[in-house]
Amino acid sequence: MPPFNFFDIVLFVISTPIGNLQDISARAISTLNACEYVLCEDTRHSRPLLDKFDIKKPLYSYHQHNEAYRSEKVIADLKDDLSIGLISDAGTPGISDPGHVLIEQCYAENIRVVPIPGACAVITALSASPLPTDRFQFIGFLPKQPGALSEALEEAIEYDGSTVCYESPQRLLKTLQALNDLSPDVPVAVCRELTKLHEEIIYKKATDQVEHFTRHPPKGEIVLIIGHYKIEKKFSFPPEKLIAWLLEEGLSKRDALQAAAKSLGVSRNLLYRLLMDKE
Ligand code: SAM
């Protein structure tokens, strides 16, 4: 594709800082200045950022509750030759933030989408953590429900690379405890308040993270990075024997696995993987 010029109709997806305002790029500022208007999650939140860089463009809200309706209007404006900028409260739009619906519609309408890259908490955290960066997955915010959380964490521990997720300070300790229950030695990086005054990256095994954050309740914004580790579990009763007994009782293989996992207090997936590893 040839390089765009400002006469093209373009939706610009513009990253903004995740804390330190000096992280805005010169290109982000010039692009914001060149747009007809800028879409943001919350105009009250983004106005001070635009003011700080003397960008006098109208701001309109674009968030999960109005994205379908707003996208229609924005597509009509783009077709009317107006270039439009999309930002989020912080970091890169579309990454656990609104943006996807509009971008998808732009492609359906042959409207060009141009990224103006910059800060993103996922990449910022990974870049300075000691966990491997050659292979990683990003899973957004972790589920809140305990069963789903434990399953997501199991998968993260077993993933052959680093798993990055967003976490809230209120839930961090519960998540670390769930990790500790599954695998106390799994390496974890808690990356807090990146690019801000109280920035810290704490790297320890799950069990030591629980101890640390019990003594120092966390505040601020958090990216959690979970390393790869082999889950080993000691059961009070041998799972193979339990499954054999359930099969004898007439349960199907699937139901026997499900019932055994429930009575041993692990997920069906984990029990299956542990049994496969033993073969
Ligand atoms: N789109 C953003 C990005 O590119 O990083 C992420 C938006 S998401 C709604 C907000 C979450 O990102 C926060 O709850 C936190 O988990 C993480 N986050 C954002 N800024 C952060 C920072 N400065 N330090 C650590 N985590 C941060």
Side-chain angles (χ1 to χ4, degrees):
M1 223 183 233
F4 73 89
N5 62 49
F6 284 122
F7 303 108
D8 289 336
I9 326 167
V10 172
L11 174 74
F12 292 100
V13 181
I14 306 166
S15 300
T16 58
I18 55 169
N20 190 324
L21 293 187
Q22 289 185 55
D23 291 334
I24 196 157
S25 74
R27 189 165 171 232
I29 296 173
S30 62
T31 307
L32 285 164
N33 271 314
C35 291
E36 193 70 23
Y37 62 81
V38 177
L39 299 168
C40 63
E41 287 181 79
D42 182 344
T43 55
R44 286 163 306 178
H45 179 95
S46 295
R47 177 55 65 199
L49 177 76
L50 266 59
D51 285 348
K52 160 106 187 141
F53 295 100
D54 206 20
I55 299 162
K56 299 187 187 335
K57 293 289 167 174
L59 273 174
Y60 297 111
S61 67
Y62 177 83
H63 45 68
Q64 66 182 99
H65 304 295
N66 73 358
E67 62 186 339
Y69 146 82
R70 187 68 94 189
S71 293
E72 228 174 88
K73 164 88 176 100
V74 173
I75 294 287
D77 286 346
L78 285 162
K79 286 182 167 173
D80 261 351
D81 276 359
L82 306 183
S83 281
I84 294 167
L86 171 69
I87 62 174
S88 61
D89 277 355
T92 301
I95 309 300
S96 295
D97 268 344
H100 174 72
V101 172
L102 179 59
I103 292 166
E104 202 180 27
Q105 284 188 18
C106 284
Y107 276 81
E109 301 284 344
N110 280 323
I111 293 166
R112 193 152 174 205
V113 179
V114 171
I116 308 293
C120 175
V122 180
I123 302 299
T124 308
L126 266 176
S127 71
S129 104
L131 284 159
T133 50
D134 53 345
R135 188 173 152 91
F136 68 89
Q137 61 172 355
F138 171 59
I139 58 170
F141 285 96
L142 287 164
K144 291 185 188 144
Q145 197 266 331
L149 173 67
S150 170
E151 209 156 297
L153 293 176
E154 255 170 54
E155 279 174 21
I157 297 168
E158 300 242 313
Y159 171 73
D160 189 10
S162 304
T163 297
V164 189
C165 47
Y166 289 154
E167 187 51 292
S168 77
Q170 295 79 19
R171 286 204 304 270
L172 179 71
L173 196 52
K174 265 205 182 110
T175 299
L176 292 172
Q177 273 157 349
L179 272 171
N180 186 33
D181 289 347
L182 287 165
S183 182
D185 291 332
V186 64
V188 179
V190 177
C191 313
R192 212 175 58 78
E193 291 289 272
L194 297 167
T195 79
K196 303 185 204 174
L197 185 63
H198 298 292
E199 175 181 276
E200 65 174 17
I201 297 180
I202 308 274
Y203 179 62
K204 293 174 188 294
K205 24 191 211 181
T207 185
D208 297 333
Q209 293 281 17
V210 171
E211 198 198 318
H212 176 88
F213 284 103
T214 304
R215 278 191 283 114
H216 307 283
K219 285 188 188 147
E221 296 191 285
I222 293 164
V223 178
L224 191 64
I225 312 182
I226 302 162
H228 170 62
Y229 208 76
K230 209 147 189 59
I231 297 183
E232 281 167 22
K233 204 104 190 138
K234 289 198 174 57
F235 295 110
S236 48
F237 190 83
E240 300 89 336
K241 279 194 183 166
L242 180 56
I243 291 177
W245 180 76
L246 290 165
L247 289 171
E248 274 171 29
E249 288 294 299
L251 267 68
S252 68
K253 277 186 183 166
R254 193 187 153 83
D255 290 348
L257 188 67
Q258 179 79 51
K262 195 168 178 200
S263 95
L264 295 167
V266 291
S267 76
R268 196 165 55 110
N269 285 347
L270 177 60
L271 183 57
Y272 179 76
R273 284 202 296 271
L274 292 173
L275 292 171
M276 294 308 278
D277 281 354
K278 279 195 174 175
E279 279 186 359

